Amino acid sequence: MTDPRAPERIVRRFARASNLMLAGRPFVVQGAGSADLHDLLVRLGGIPSLHPAPGRVEFDLDADTVSLDGAPLPERGDAAGRISFARAHMPVSAAMAERLDLTGLRVGVAMVLEPKTAVLSLLLRERGAEVSVYAHPDETDPAVADALRTEGLAVTADPTLSGPAELAAARTFLRAGLDVLLDDGAHLIRLAHEDDPALVAGWIGACEETTSGLTPLRRMQDAGILRTAVMAVNDARTKTMFDNRYGTGQSCVFAIADLLEERGIGLADQSALVLGYGPVGRGVAAHLRALGAEVRVAETDPVRALEARHDGFSIGPARESAAGALVVSATGVPGTVTADLAAKARVMAVAGGVPGEIAPGAENDALVLGGGGAVNITAAEGNPIEIMDLSFAVQLAALGELLRRRPSSGVHALGPDVDDLVAREALRVRGAQIDVPRPLDPEGLDEWRSPRYAGGGR
């Protein structure tokens, strides 16, 4: 191997071609330079596996080939092919859907429209729901939208819309009538409250996918203006621990590396500053470091800043670390990248993200990747398939909880049984087994005395 970046390139090529996950995936490597590739895959969370295992990926650096489960990595083809490929790798969502009877229920799906969301929408319809789909213009894959229309779903998604036309499309979607809304960012939930609260009064409830969506909904609850029940999908451990950290981390950093390479910039040669060390920031920082970047972290929360330091990252004020750096905002807060900060940066990108995370007017001579939107959406295909399989499995389980509990207005946590159910199914399809907990006295009455003094003649 003469190219020191060959391991990174073949790994990114696999992810780009398949939209599959690396963390938790069995792998085997061979060929010149395989030791470097092995080490990179381990840093990314891959599991060395000399023997065939479900989902194992095989890299051959000499032949420059990638195989999956012993066969050449398949071509996904057109939108229908990408949807079919995604479905084949979303068994946990399929299992959660099988538990639901949605006959006659009107379900709206307002999410980034790409193959995994299409699979979710089709699963809902197969369980009896009348499904309508909405996507914001900058979060729409037109080919996937057309594929769903061909399947007979009502789809409101047009990447050419903006301003009043975009608002009108969102209103039309809401006014068509819903029983349940599955939202991402709570943009449609908030618009319905602002535009016509009577629409919300007829809902059974909603399920919200993101931190940036739950934050304003909780403010609405505190102000007494939230008129519907909302299941806090984002707060489930099987969502945040995997989607935010591993999914967004991989997809955003790989998209950044692909865009930089197009401009002749190597990520390993670039200092990086990650703004925010929540679950997304942790994943972004870890993946940047795995690909060889020198990473610093800026954080306003002292506990998270301390965590970043113990994870081995230099921390400090953003203005002191931004000079000449790749600045990645991972806060989900508008205006995070100020004009002063942008003036110091060499490259800017947003991971996850909300509109305006790079403040208006902050663009300067720095290179802005992905148009300043969530870079894994604007410049890639979103989070990896298996990660969204987990997230959408939680969505489906949350929908089941909503229909079963019929809670009052407010933001509601999912029970721990949801995480247990989703995680056990995910382990099962991965061929993994775990220990059975030791049975304890259910009341805990025989555990209250300290065992330290048991032999002291009490």
Side-chain angles (χ1 to χ4, degrees):
M1 181 188 69
T2 59
D3 182 0
R5 294 180 59 193
E8 176 197 333
R9 288 194 172 109
I10 199 170
V11 165
R12 286 194 283 117
R13 193 176 80 210
F14 162 74
R16 188 168 56 249
S18 67
N19 198 25
L20 292 176
M21 196 67 203
L22 286 162
R25 180 172 297 283
F27 74 86
V28 64
V29 299
Q30 63 182 12
S34 60
D36 291 337
L37 177 55
H38 177 281
D39 291 346
L40 171 59
L41 289 165
V42 169
R43 293 198 301 272
L44 291 168
I47 302 171
S49 177
L50 295 179
H51 304 289
R56 189 177 77 159
V57 60
E58 300 97 33
F59 295 94
D60 187 332
L61 284 168
D62 289 341
D64 195 31
T65 59
V66 184
S67 300
L68 182 66
D69 286 323
L73 191 64
E75 294 288 339
R76 293 187 291 157
D78 60 8
R82 289 187 288 136
I83 293 169
S84 177
F85 184 87
R87 179 158 190 164
H89 292 86
M90 295 178 65
V92 186
S93 291
M96 294 304 108
E98 285 294 324
R99 304 169 65 90
L100 300 175
D101 180 359
L102 307 177
T103 304
L105 198 70
R106 298 172 299 173
V107 179
V109 177
M111 297 185 178
V112 176
L113 185 49
E114 39 76 44
K116 288 90 69 182
T117 306
V119 173
L120 172 65
S121 302
L122 292 169
L123 288 172
L124 290 166
R125 187 179 67 172
E126 290 166 12
R127 302 311 300 162
E130 178 186 328
V131 181
S132 56
V133 179
Y134 174 87
H136 304 294
D138 58 344
E139 297 180 350
T140 294
D141 182 327
V144 172
D146 288 342
L148 283 183
R149 292 186 184 105
T150 300
E151 291 284 342
L153 272 67
V155 179
T156 303
D158 184 345
T160 69
L161 298 181
S162 62
E166 179 183 353
L167 176 59
R171 284 172 168 165
T172 298
F173 169 79
L174 289 169
R175 289 173 180 168
L178 298 172
D179 297 311
V180 175
L181 175 61
L182 311 185
D183 208 350
D184 183 326
H187 299 292
L188 273 294
I189 298 173
R190 287 182 278 172
L191 176 61
H193 279 78
E194 180 183 4
D195 195 48
D196 187 357
L199 293 172
V200 183
W203 293 358
I204 297 171
C207 299
E208 171 51 41
E209 176 90 358
T210 65
T211 304
S212 59
L214 286 175
T215 297
L217 292 177
R218 288 191 166 106
R219 291 173 182 157
M220 292 168 67
Q221 176 177 266
D222 293 342
I225 58 175
L226 183 61
R227 296 171 177 261
T228 192
V230 178
M231 306 305 292
V233 172
N234 177 78
D235 292 353
R237 292 190 299 157
T238 40
K239 193 278 180 186
T240 298
M241 286 175 62
F242 300 90
D243 186 311
N244 298 28
R245 179 179 176 181
Y246 298 103
T248 306
Q250 174 180 306
S251 59
C252 286
V253 171
F254 282 21
I256 289 169
D258 287 344
L259 291 170
L260 289 178
E261 186 169 56
E262 291 175 4
R263 294 157 173 84
I265 303 172
L267 190 60
D269 304 323
Q270 178 67 58
S271 63
L273 170 63
V274 177
L275 304 177
Y277 204 69
V280 170
R282 293 184 198 106
V284 169
H287 283 80
L288 285 170
R289 179 164 61 184
L291 294 190
E294 178 190 344
V295 183
R296 295 175 178 269
V297 171
E299 183 42 274
T300 59
D301 183 300
V303 176
R304 287 180 171 176
L306 189 62
E307 180 185 13
R309 184 172 178 86
H310 281 74
D311 283 342
F313 297 106
S314 298
I315 60 168
R319 64 182 181 276
E320 296 180 4
S321 302
L326 160 66
V327 175
V328 184
S329 180
T331 65
V333 177
T336 293
V337 182
T338 64
D340 288 345
L341 197 60
K344 299 175 181 291
R346 180 187 184 191
V347 183
M348 296 186 293
V350 173
V354 296
E357 201 155 328
I358 297 177
E363 299 86 356
N364 56 14
D365 292 335
L367 173 62
V368 180
L369 300 179
V375 71
N376 61 335
I377 295 169
T378 59
E381 203 175 63
N383 280 353
I385 294 169
E386 299 100 329
I387 288 296
M388 295 312 299
D389 184 28
L390 290 178
S391 293
F392 287 161
V394 177
Q395 276 278 8
L396 291 161
L399 175 57
E401 286 273 290
L402 176 67
L403 298 176
R404 179 180 64 82
R405 288 163 50 182
R406 302 287 175 121
S408 59
S409 298
V411 177
H412 299 273
L414 302 180
D417 54 319
V418 168
D419 279 322
D420 186 83
L421 180 66
V422 171
R424 287 184 183 279
E425 181 63 21
L427 289 168
R428 185 191 69 78
V429 301
R430 288 159 173 75
Q433 297 181 340
I434 61 174
D435 290 329
V436 176
R438 179 173 63 88
L440 299 174
D441 170 25
E443 302 297 327
L445 296 179
D446 61 354
E447 299 294 328
W448 70 271
R449 295 179 180 87
S450 169
R452 180 176 293 275
Y453 308 108
R458 289 182 305 202

